[in-house]
Amino acid sequence: MSESGAAGRGKCCQETALQADGRIRPGTARKKKKKMPQKQEKDETMNFRKLENWEHENTRALYELVFSEDEQSFVDYYYKTRARENQIYGAEDESGIHGMLHLNPCRVLWNGEELVLWYVVAVATEPDYRHKGLMRSLLTQALKDLEQQGAPFVFLMPASEAIYTPFGFGRAWPWQWEEDRILNLLTKGMEPGGIRPENWKKADRELLEDQELLERLSEKVNQEMTSQFQLFSKRSPDYYRRLAQEQEVSGGSLEILFGAQRSAAMTEEAEAVGKARKGQKLSAASEKTVEAAAGGKDAQPLCARCEAREAFPPMMARITNLEAFITRVRAKERVTKIWYVTDALLPQNQGLFELTVTPQGGQIRRLELLAAEEARIETVDIADLPARLGAANPFCHTMICEVV
């Protein structure tokens, strides 16, 4: 669930340019009026389908052609791990596969509920087959399948937002690194330099094979994330092992921070460390706290950080099954909206709905649209719906930042 700065790893390429230089410019706004991409001449000999798992390797040649900037070590890793568990849609004819779209699974916690969301990556078209509507057909089929499966939404990291806004995607949440969010809590109340270099330990083979340690790290980070977000990637031993692999093939490494057991204890730790530095006598408990702060035998894993980091654009998301989405939305106070929702790609999401969101969750009810009332009903496009929920917009409380 990670990606690189390259379009192949994280950002989805555009069919027309297939360049990874379409970074989001600050202040870029989505136009209110949305138009579907112009229908391009469709190759009637092309077959669009979800590939069988054993066929995934057949897309590697296209991947290496389009995403040539990716290191061979990363491509090897991707096809040995991620491509074995993901879904790949292909556009093929008798001569082979000429277009593809990957859906990578991302295990998340959404208000305590564990579920799998799908991350769109490696959208690519062979140069000689561009401008024939391959990307549109692949994306439409994938979205329809996800709607039928009851997937609440799908997300991606765009090479350019303009490519995906016509398909109902909207800017959703900013890219954030785990250590940045966790350290803000851990260092609260600490003196400058409270967390020292020796507190960080490289996640070598010994650490990564320590199941109990990784379980404690996962539990700790999941607790901290729950205090800050409604929706986030679930941490687990396998999550961190995969992250370490991704770092290794990207030229970096994963490091784990060791220190006091709870972030609430960091203030006590700061006081104890300060006394130790001044040569003051410490109690046995304070001596233990100082040892934990220095990464000693009583230190606990607190969070992890990636050595290979870069700036990524904001993520985009698209509701695929409106009912599955709304039922998971929560608000501090009960809110009810009656909207006519438009969705040019997924008809099941279109119609007049009464949407109710409460602290316990949401409800959706389809209503009959009477001609006399049509002019008074507010119309909301599916791409705008999350933002129109205001404070109840779950994407305002989300941290899903994956590279592949």
Side-chain angles (χ1 to χ4, degrees), residues 90-103:
E92 63 178 356
D93 60 16
E94 293 180 352
S95 62
I97 296 174
H98 308 291
M100 66 179 181
L101 177 152
H102 295 215
L103 294 177

Side-chain angles (χ1 to χ4, degrees), residues 358-373:
T358 72
Q360 291 74 41
Q363 297 177 342
I364 181 170
R365 184 163 66 97
R366 187 181 288 272
L367 305 176
E368 182 180 354
L369 180 61
L370 302 177
E373 300 176 345

Side-chain angles (χ1 to χ4, degrees), residues 267-277 282 285-287 289-290:
T267 301
E268 175 188 347
E269 173 187 315
E271 295 176 353
V273 171
K275 289 181 179 180
R277 289 178 178 174
L282 301 177
S286 294
E287 287 179 351
T289 299
V290 172

Side-chain angles (χ1 to χ4, degrees), residues 64-127:
E64 292 178 336
L65 172 66
V66 174
F67 305 119
S68 57
E69 66 272 28
D70 282 359
E71 296 290 340
Q72 191 65 44
S73 60
F74 177 84
V75 181
D76 290 341
Y77 158 77
Y78 182 81
Y79 273 88
K80 287 180 181 178
T81 57
R82 298 299 281 157
R84 288 184 177 180
E85 62 183 2
N86 70 358
Q87 299 182 37
I88 300 180
Y89 287 78
E92 63 178 356
D93 60 16
E94 293 180 352
S95 62
I97 296 174
H98 308 291
M100 66 179 181
L101 177 152
H102 295 215
L103 294 177
N104 287 357
C106 178
R107 191 165 297 278
V108 303
L109 289 174
W110 192 347
N111 290 319
E113 177 190 3
E114 183 175 338
L115 68 156
V116 173
L117 298 178
W118 296 97
Y119 183 20
V120 180
V121 302
V123 181
T125 305
E126 188 177 337

Side-chain angles (χ1 to χ4, degrees), residues 153-174:
F153 69 90
V154 67
F155 64 99
L156 55 80
M157 183 200 301
S160 172
E161 288 188 352
I163 304 164
Y164 295 97
T165 51
F167 295 96
F169 285 85
R171 186 180 292 195
W173 58 85

Side-chain angles (χ1 to χ4, degrees), residues 213-223 235-237 240:
L213 183 145
L214 293 181
E215 288 177 351
R216 284 188 283 129
L217 171 63
S218 301
E219 181 181 6
K220 171 65 178 177
V221 175
N222 286 332
Q223 288 175 351
R235 272 55 176 178
S236 68
Y240 285 112

Side-chain angles (χ1 to χ4, degrees), residues 242-263:
R242 193 195 70 249
L243 194 57
Q245 282 185 285
E246 292 175 9
Q247 280 291 296
E248 182 179 358
V249 298
S250 300
S253 64
L254 185 69
E255 297 180 321
I256 298 176
L257 175 66
F258 288 84
Q261 175 75 37
R262 300 179 302 277
S263 58

